[in-house]
Each structure stands twice: as structure tokens, then as C-alpha cells.
Amino acid sequence: MAESVTLDTLFHDECLKSGANGLIELFHVRGELIYKAVKKEDAGRAGALQGEEQVVYNTIRSSGNEGIWTKHLKSKTNLHEAVIKRCLRALEQKALVKAIKSVKHPTRKLYMLMELTPSVEVTGGPWFTDQELDVDFVEQLTNQCYKYILTKSFPRDASCIFTSSHNAYPSAGAVRKYIMEKRISQVDLSVDDITMLLDVLVYDGKVERFIAQVDDDWDDDVDTESDWVYKAVRDKRAESAWQDCPCGVCPVADFCTEGGPVNPAGCSYYSKWLEF
Amino acid sequence: MKFLEYAGIDAINSALVFETPECKVYGRLEPYSCKAAGADKKLYKQIEIKYDPSNSPPDEDGSGSSFRNIISPFGPLDQPASRRTLFYLIGTLNASFPDYDFSDAKPEQFRKEPSVSMVVNSVNATLLNHGNDRAVKELRIWDSIDNLIDFQDSDVYSYNPESDSDPNDEEGGGTLWSFNYFFFNRKLKRIIYFTMRGVSYGAPSEYDNDDFSDMSDDDTGFGRRRGGMRYEDYVVGEMDML
């Protein structure tokens, strides 16, 4: 009894065989089988994997350093939950994949290749320790940045301000240099990290940012990555409602009383004020 | 936690998934026995290490004693019985949502409900407001639950997570309201997990999203922010907007 075998099945079987050497990868994409050739170097690690384990491993590999959620792993591979569970356990035992947690979705089960480092999106970067936002650390750093900017924003004499052509306001790079020199943070912070903190200060209204004045004799040492410089905001006026209302600045307020020579009904300051 | 089979549960669960003019409701009832299975043992150890004061090394400043004072919805956490309850609830969530890991769920995300009857009333009100009295009147779900769990002897707890930890708040948003109740009978060592959520029709279904990158679910505003609230609170919120 001769069995008729389709070309597809033959191809599939051959690929499975070479797949055993890790040279051909198998994917399930929306129900279709996709084959992909693998570079010899990459084939080494996953070489010994069979069938389903290989599919799971490859799908995890394609998620790079973002990791992949088990739910997505299920839909991408179309494998049954019990099968995926078994494969993941086997891959973990072989030290090929590891479970990670994301700060954006702390309860999701994510997996990635053992040798990769989770991306900043997943770990949260320097602001997160063990999946939790290190509020004290962020606050402390932000304060230090603010203090530094404050010292650079106004001259020592508190009643003066710099001229409009003053250009020594610090950029994000300068703030970072200061923070690193003072070793305030134990972890290395990038200019982008510092910019994040400076943005917080801007949104809190403590600091304003603007494009620096460009001089003709541009100093080569200046950080030209971005043109933004930061300046601390000083309370413009200590305003009080008493200043708006005539009574607040009236020289005879104490003397004023109803029925007396100076009284609220006949007050000339009020008449003037209410004459829009 | 071991999932318990119970005749009639399937009928109840199909009655708990239904459509209303404003949303689609997904509900389910799952009975579990408090029997630690494989991964549960690891969870138990984790909880013991985290909350048992005798496990934390004595600190010079006595900060190890800070855990001794943690009053949780399950009682003071230095009592093993309280930690056990936390363990059972987390284990149940892990069993019910295999794609999630609730091991880091904090005790304050749970709440001990004042009485069974209040919870029953609240759920009935929600069902009725969505035009479904079949589950209660015809299928008599409360009788079934009482048979399994014996209300007289049970405590009810609820789980109220942040939206980023909420398994009911799916990617793409759209979850308008949800609840998670646990009917726990300590003597019988049984838990019934009862969850329901209302999803708006406008929300993209997860099958529309071909790009499974974990980075791509963004905040769709309404749906996401409202995910963790109960129906009563959702309605009050709607009224505020009028």
C-alpha cells in the first residue's frame, strides 16, 4: 500500500530533520508554517531542541530584549497552554530562557533569552529598584539638580538678575556633569535620564527652559547635543489679595468706620477703583 | 490550588457571559481546594520569607519589627493563619490566570468584605442592572455556591489591583468595570473565585492587534483607567460626567 505524500509534508519532514541541527527554524504565524534558515553560529545553542521546544525558543528569541508575554507566546505559536508550560520549564532547566518582570505590567509572566539583558522599558531604568519606583532617589536627585541650576541662575546678590545676554545657564549635559562629579548617584546616569528629571522640574514650574543664545565665537567644549538650557524660576511677586483691594493699601484704614468722617460708603478710593 | 469540578458550574458560567446594550459581560465562577500544587509551594515559601518576622534578621535599629505591626485585611501578618489566607488568595489568582504571576501582590490590594449578604446584594444589583436575572433566579447561582462553600462559615475577600496589575484590564482597554470576589471557607479549605467584568464594544479586541510587542499597548484613556472599579462606582462616575 503506497502512501501518497504531498510535497509540503516531505518538505516539512526534511526541515524537521535539519531543524534538529538547529539550521532551520520553524514558526507558526497565524496558522501557517514558516521556515527560516539560521546562521551557523546561532544554531549552536538551540541546536539540540526538538519541534515544539524549538518553536517556543525561537518565538522568545524574536522578542529580543523586550521579552514576550506567555499569552502572546500562545497566540503566536498556536500551541496549547500545557505544551507551552512544559516547553518553558524544559528551556528554563536548560538555562536557555529566563522569566522576567516588567515595570509596566508587573503581574504578567514574561520570558526572554537567558543571555540578554532586559531593556530599559522593562526594567524601568535607574528609577526603579526591584520593580518599584524609587521615589526618594528621584526626589533627592531632582532637588540636587534644582539647587545647582539655582546657583547658576541668579547672581550672588539676591536683588539683581543677569542681563539678557547672559549665557552661562546650564544645559542638561552640564547638570549631569555636576551630578556625576559630586557622586550624588551611585548609578551612572545618562543625559537622557537627567533630562527626564529636568522635565519634572519644568512641569513643576520650578525651572524654565529655553534655547541658549548662540554666540559667534562658539566654544567647542559646549555640549551641542541639544540647545536647551535651564534656569530657575524665582517667585515674581509675593502677591496678596490685600494689594488688589483698596483697603489693603489705604493709609487711614484703621481710622475708617461706618458713620465716621472716613467711612466705607463714601470712600473715594473705592469709587475710583470701581470706575472701570 | 486545585481546581474543583462541580456539576452545574458550566451552565452557570455560560449564563455569566452575556451581552447588554452598553457592554459585553464576562463572568466566571471557579471553585478551588486549598491544596498546594507544585508552584504553590514556592509561593508559600516566598510569602513566609517576606512577612514572617522570625525570618527577618534582627536589625540594629529594630526595623525588622516593622513587619510585626502590619495589619492586613487577613489579620496581623505575623500570625501564620493570616499569611496562609494571603497565600490561598494569591494561589487562587495564579491558578485562575495562568499568564499572570500575582506573587508580589500586596496585602493592601485585598479587602475583607463586611458580610456575605452585602456581596451577594452587590453582585445581584450588578447583574440586574445589566438585564440578567437568569443567573440568579433560574440557575440559582447562590444556592450552588452555598452548597459548595457554606455561607455561614465563610469570609469574603475582594482583590482590587492597580490598573497595571489588573488581569481584567486587558491591553487595548475597554474594561468598564470589574470585580474579583473570593468566598473562603477555612474549615472546608475551599475557595470560590467569582470574577466579572464589563467590556465596552468600542474597545479593540485583542485579536485585532497583530503586533504582539509588549510595548505597544498604550493608554486608551477611559477604558484603562476605569478597569479596576466595581459597577456601582462606574455608574457614579458616569453620573458625574452628565
Side-chain angles (χ1 to χ4, degrees):
Chain A
M1 231 180 343
E3 258 184 51
S4 65
V5 182
T6 64
L7 194 56
D8 277 344
T9 324
L10 264 179
F11 182 61
H12 182 79
D13 289 340
E14 281 304 311
C15 284
L16 277 182
K17 279 191 229 147
S18 359
N21 306 330
L23 289 173
I24 297 208
E25 278 181 21
L26 232 53
F27 287 101
H28 273 118
V29 180
R30 288 189 276 277
E32 271 191 83
L33 275 175
I34 307 283
Y35 303 92
K36 179 180 164 196
V38 177
K39 286 194 239 190
K40 277 220 168 110
E41 316 82 80
D42 291 338
R45 292 220 80 184
L49 293 181
Q50 296 296 334
E52 292 153 343
E53 274 181 38
Q54 193 188 44
V55 175
V56 172
Y57 178 82
N58 290 329
T59 317
I60 295 181
R61 164 135 62 100
S62 61
S63 70
N65 65 353
E66 296 300 332
I68 183 169
W69 187 18
T70 51
K71 191 168 178 188
H72 294 156
L73 195 52
K74 231 181 284 183
S75 16
K76 264 192 161 166
T77 61
N78 261 329
L79 291 171
H80 196 266
E81 187 185 312
V83 173
I84 295 211
K85 226 176 172 171
R86 179 177 37 91
C87 291
L88 285 174
R89 214 175 312 153
L91 290 170
E92 273 186 298
Q93 274 186 339
K94 295 183 192 167
L96 288 171
V97 301
K98 61 187 175 197
I100 57 169
K101 285 211 161 188
S102 163
V103 289
K104 280 167 82 177
H105 307 281
T107 45
R108 288 191 186 176
K109 281 188 188 155
L110 299 181
Y111 283 89
M112 69 186 325
L113 292 190
M114 182 61 83
E115 60 266 21
L116 297 178
T117 324
S119 73
V120 174
E121 285 282 333
V122 168
T123 61
W127 314 126
F128 284 82
T129 317
D130 286 339
Q131 307 291 313
E132 278 200 28
L133 180 61
D134 196 343
V135 183
D136 289 332
F137 178 56
V138 171
E139 265 181 27
Q140 208 191 22
L141 265 186
T142 321
N143 272 333
Q144 292 295 328
C145 291
Y146 174 66
K147 286 200 184 116
Y148 173 66
I149 296 178
L150 193 57
T151 57
K152 293 275 172 185
S153 302
F154 302 104
R156 288 240 178 89
D157 185 351
S159 59
C160 308
I161 58 171
F162 287 126
T163 66
S164 58
S165 57
H166 179 79
N167 63 357
Y169 297 116
S171 67
V175 178
R176 175 180 173 268
K177 198 154 164 252
Y178 169 77
I179 297 283
M180 299 310 288
E181 276 166 13
K182 287 207 81 182
R183 297 186 194 289
I184 297 173
S185 156
Q186 289 180 330
V187 293
D188 197 22
L189 298 169
S190 69
V191 177
D192 287 335
D193 293 330
I194 297 289
T195 311
M196 264 193 245
L197 294 179
L198 297 180
D199 283 344
V200 172
L201 289 171
V202 171
Y203 298 137
D204 281 347
K206 293 200 177 114
V207 150
E208 54 178 352
R209 74 176 178 166
F210 44 86
I211 306 276
Q213 309 284 9
V214 176
D215 281 345
D216 283 332
D217 47 343
W218 190 243
D219 192 347
D220 276 335
D221 283 343
V222 172
D223 170 21
T224 50
E225 264 181 27
S226 136
D227 297 317
W228 294 110
V229 293
Y230 297 84
K231 178 183 172 203
V233 167
R234 197 151 64 176
D235 279 336
K236 307 225 168 74
R237 292 166 289 159
E239 265 184 55
S240 147
W242 287 115
Q243 290 175 305
D244 283 340
C245 148
C247 296
V249 292
C250 175
V252 291
D254 288 341
F255 185 50
C256 175
T257 174
E258 244 180 89
V262 177
N263 59 71
C267 176
S268 58
Y269 297 128
Y270 263 105
S271 317
K272 196 140 178 243
W273 191 53
L274 293 172
E275 242 177 50
F276 292 126
Chain B
M1 305 298 122
K2 190 159 163 287
F3 185 81
L4 293 172
E5 295 294 342
Y6 177 66
I9 270 280
D10 285 337
I12 291 178
N13 280 332
S14 15
L16 290 176
V17 177
F18 56 96
E19 294 190 0
T20 81
E22 69 173 30
C23 63
K24 178 147 186 198
V25 178
Y26 297 89
R28 68 176 189 273
L29 215 61
E30 289 176 345
Y32 289 95
S33 100
C34 301
K35 211 180 272 179
D40 295 330
K41 300 203 170 100
K42 182 170 151 229
L43 169 66
Y44 185 65
K45 268 198 210 115
Q46 252 181 287
I47 292 184
E48 286 292 294
I49 292 176
K50 228 195 277 190
Y51 298 109
D52 186 354
S54 57
N55 280 335
S56 54
D59 299 296
E60 309 85 44
D61 58 347
S63 63
S65 63
S66 61
F67 276 134
R68 233 162 273 149
N69 298 326
I70 287 193
I71 301 291
S72 74
F74 319 110
L77 281 178
D78 55 350
Q79 303 286 354
S82 317
R83 293 197 295 273
R84 253 236 146 98
T85 310
L86 173 64
F87 162 61
Y88 291 141
L89 296 191
I90 293 185
T92 304
L93 284 170
N94 280 345
S96 186
F97 296 100
D99 290 320
Y100 291 82
D101 179 7
F102 296 93
S103 314
D104 289 328
K106 305 201 173 52
E108 52 262 23
Q109 288 172 320
F110 294 89
R111 193 176 99 116
K112 180 162 198 281
E113 299 294 321
S115 76
V116 174
S117 44
M118 283 183 72
V119 172
V120 171
N121 284 336
S122 163
V123 172
N124 285 345
T126 306
L127 283 170
L128 223 60
N129 282 328
H130 284 92
N132 183 339
D133 56 1
R134 214 182 133 237
V136 177
K137 301 228 170 96
E138 275 182 42
L139 298 173
R140 309 202 63 87
I141 56 174
W142 297 116
D143 285 346
S144 301
I145 299 184
D146 196 13
N147 280 337
L148 276 172
I149 207 83
D150 192 2
F151 283 149
Q152 305 282 39
D153 263 339
S154 301
D155 291 329
V156 193
Y157 295 94
S158 63
Y159 176 55
N160 313 291
E162 315 286 308
S163 67
D164 60 0
S165 319
D166 193 352
N168 284 325
D169 194 1
E170 291 163 0
E171 47 189 344
T175 302
L176 299 167
W177 54 267
S178 66
F179 63 68
N180 302 286
Y181 287 118
F182 304 83
F183 296 88
F184 175 43
N185 188 320
R186 203 174 298 269
K187 250 189 277 161
L188 291 176
K189 290 203 139 200
R190 253 186 229 159
I191 289 190
I192 302 228
Y193 176 52
F194 189 0
T195 179
M196 221 190 270
R197 70 187 191 279
V199 183
S200 87
Y201 292 114
S205 117
E206 53 196 51
Y207 300 105
D208 293 344
N209 186 8
D210 280 336
D211 174 10
F212 286 112
S213 153
D214 280 305
M215 286 170 57
S216 71
D217 26 316
D218 42 16
D219 189 340
T220 53
F222 269 162
R224 186 151 286 256
R225 241 178 283 126
R226 290 172 177 205
M229 66 171 73
R230 288 173 226 222
Y231 182 63
E232 298 98 61
D233 302 324
Y234 160 65
V235 168
V236 170
E238 283 279 273
M239 281 162 54
D240 280 345
M241 291 180 60
L242 293 174

